[in-house]
Amino acid sequence: MSNQSTSIYGGQAVIEGVMFAGRHVNVTAVRRKDQQITFLEVPKKPTPVLSKIKKIPFIRGIVGIVESAAKGSQHLTYSAEAYAEDETGPEEAAKEKEKDKDKDRWNLTMILGVAVVGILSFVVGKLIFTLVPAFVEGLIFNQVFENKIMHNLLEGVIKIILLLAYLWFISQTPIIKRLFQYHGAEHKVISAYEAGSELTVEAVQKYSRLHYRCGSSFIIFTVIVGVVIYSFFTWDTMAERILQRILLLPVVLGVSYEVLRWTNALRDIPVLKWLGAPGLWLQLLTTKEPNDEQVAVSIASFNRMRELDDEIGNPRVALAKQA
């Protein structure tokens, strides 16, 4: 199976489950406390204007980030509600949802917390990870030398150190560790499918938990690309430097997305495949080796997504199912 035919499939880990996005539908599979796997199936509603924008280089990356955040929130909500229901029971969960506003606020906090981890908060977190390193570097090295390129390089180093420390720290918590395990399971399933392998737990487990198209790779590319882009501009004060970083953030995100697509296209070419290595290295932190049950959930989500994609994309299949 060619990469071109499968590149539209994307995955995302959620609480105790995995979400896969296909051509026509997004599907989340969650393993419940009774070991049953339940699904949230959300058909995609094509938007002509958005579809055209997503074909424009450098802009499509920003659109993809916003779309991913919106899409992920809905599926994270389903996953979190299933988790809460399993902990309290369906009747009690319904009562809590109706009467206990504090519980609702807790669920929302948990959902947003996991969403921040999943996309490293491209709304707030990315801004923080962009501005804090610039401020720290300027505070420490501003009077040491004048070379702006060196300042940019040091800013990038500080950014990477903060990013790695943050990822390592949150990965020590049980819920985030499980989230990263599901992240690894999602990668394994996609890799197995792209290789034309049978989607069984035993077969899928043989594949790597690292994948070139992962959002984690995108994050590290924003650091590298940022160093390059910032080098074309200069500043005189810290205020100018901070403002410059804010204004250039959409540019950095847009270019980084294109770099991610480029490295993915070149991943089968010797030597050039190493261009994607930084992203794969970061995934050593953002993914963990999944257990068999987690891989089974990921397979179930992926298979259900493909089944619905075939039904929606082929009216004859849908009619045959109804007959």
Side-chain angles (χ1 to χ4, degrees):
M1 298 179 183
S2 68
N3 289 336
Q4 185 178 4
S5 65
T6 62
S7 62
I8 49 87
Y9 297 114
Q12 180 174 320
V14 295
I15 304 172
E16 296 302 327
V18 173
M19 185 274 287
F20 279 102
R23 291 183 179 90
H24 307 292
V25 65
N26 300 328
V27 174
T28 292
V30 175
R31 185 178 292 281
R32 308 300 293 267
K33 201 169 186 178
D34 61 3
Q35 298 305 304
Q36 295 295 313
I37 297 177
T38 59
F39 300 93
L40 172 66
E41 301 158 359
V42 183
K44 289 184 175 180
K45 298 179 180 179
T47 306
V49 175
L50 200 60
S51 297
K52 291 180 180 179
I53 293 176
K54 288 167 68 175
K55 295 179 181 179
I56 303 175
F58 303 107
I59 295 178
R60 59 190 172 193
I62 299 173
V63 174
I65 293 170
V66 175
E67 190 177 46
S68 176
K71 175 178 65 180
S73 295
Q74 183 178 13
H75 291 265
L76 282 163
T77 299
Y78 169 75
S79 178
E81 287 178 349
Y83 176 83
E85 184 176 305
D86 282 344
E87 290 300 308
T88 61
E91 294 182 2
E92 190 65 28
K95 290 180 182 178
E96 292 292 325
K97 187 175 181 180
E98 189 68 30
K99 297 180 180 180
D100 192 346
K101 300 301 181 182
D102 291 335
K103 181 67 175 179
D104 285 342
R105 284 195 292 270
W106 163 245
N107 284 341
L108 179 60
T109 301
M110 181 170 62
I111 293 165
L112 291 178
V114 177
V116 165
V117 174
I119 63 174
L120 283 183
S121 186
F122 276 103
V123 177
V124 178
K126 182 56 188 171
L127 200 59
I128 293 174
F129 274 102
T130 297
L131 301 184
V132 170
F135 179 79
V136 171
E137 193 283 331
L139 192 66
I140 298 175
F141 299 103
N142 186 49
Q143 304 298 326
V144 178
F145 47 79
E146 295 291 332
N147 192 308
K148 292 295 191 294
I149 294 180
M150 279 299 300
H151 281 292
N152 290 333
L153 288 172
L154 287 171
E155 178 184 335
V157 170
I158 293 172
K159 190 177 298 184
I160 290 175
I161 292 173
L162 289 177
L163 178 62
L164 295 179
Y166 169 72
L167 288 173
W168 179 86
F169 178 78
I170 63 173
S171 68
Q172 303 307 302
T173 63
I175 190 169
I176 301 304
K177 182 178 180 180
R178 288 188 65 79
L179 183 73
F180 286 175
Q181 284 179 300
Y182 276 108
H183 191 188
E186 168 238 316
H187 285 179
K188 283 174 176 278
V189 169
I190 293 178
S191 295
Y193 177 74
E194 290 177 334
S197 175
E198 183 182 8
L199 294 185
T200 63
V201 172
E202 183 179 1
V204 169
Q205 282 284 32
K206 296 177 182 178
Y207 287 85
S208 173
R209 73 179 198 264
L210 313 181
H211 197 282
Y212 272 80
R213 286 200 308 274
C214 177
S216 302
S217 299
F218 175 75
I219 293 166
I220 199 68
F221 285 142
T222 62
V223 178
I224 299 172
V225 169
V227 170
V228 176
I229 291 178
Y230 298 153
S231 297
F232 288 94
F233 300 87
T234 187
W235 69 89
D236 294 319
T237 66
M238 178 58 67
E240 288 181 8
R241 185 177 185 179
I242 296 299
L243 179 61
Q244 184 186 101
R245 297 299 185 265
I246 295 174
L247 295 176
L248 289 174
L249 185 56
V251 179
V252 172
L253 295 177
V255 175
S256 298
Y257 181 79
E258 298 304 319
V259 172
L260 178 63
R261 288 171 59 92
W262 186 49
T263 57
N264 181 61
L266 300 175
R267 61 177 175 168
D268 294 324
I269 302 176
V271 180
L272 293 181
K273 69 178 183 179
W274 293 105
L275 292 172
L280 296 177
W281 294 335
L282 186 62
Q283 288 176 48
L284 293 174
L285 280 177
T286 62
T287 66
K288 301 290 184 183
E289 282 294 332
N291 58 39
D292 288 350
E293 289 187 353
Q294 292 165 332
V295 170
V297 172
S298 190
I299 293 172
S301 178
F302 189 75
N303 284 339
R304 183 57 179 159
M305 177 272 294
R306 290 178 60 206
E307 179 185 352
L308 292 175
D309 252 8
D310 288 341
E311 288 183 20
I312 297 173
N314 188 342
R316 291 184 179 179
V317 174
L319 289 173
K321 290 260 185 179
Q322 295 172 7

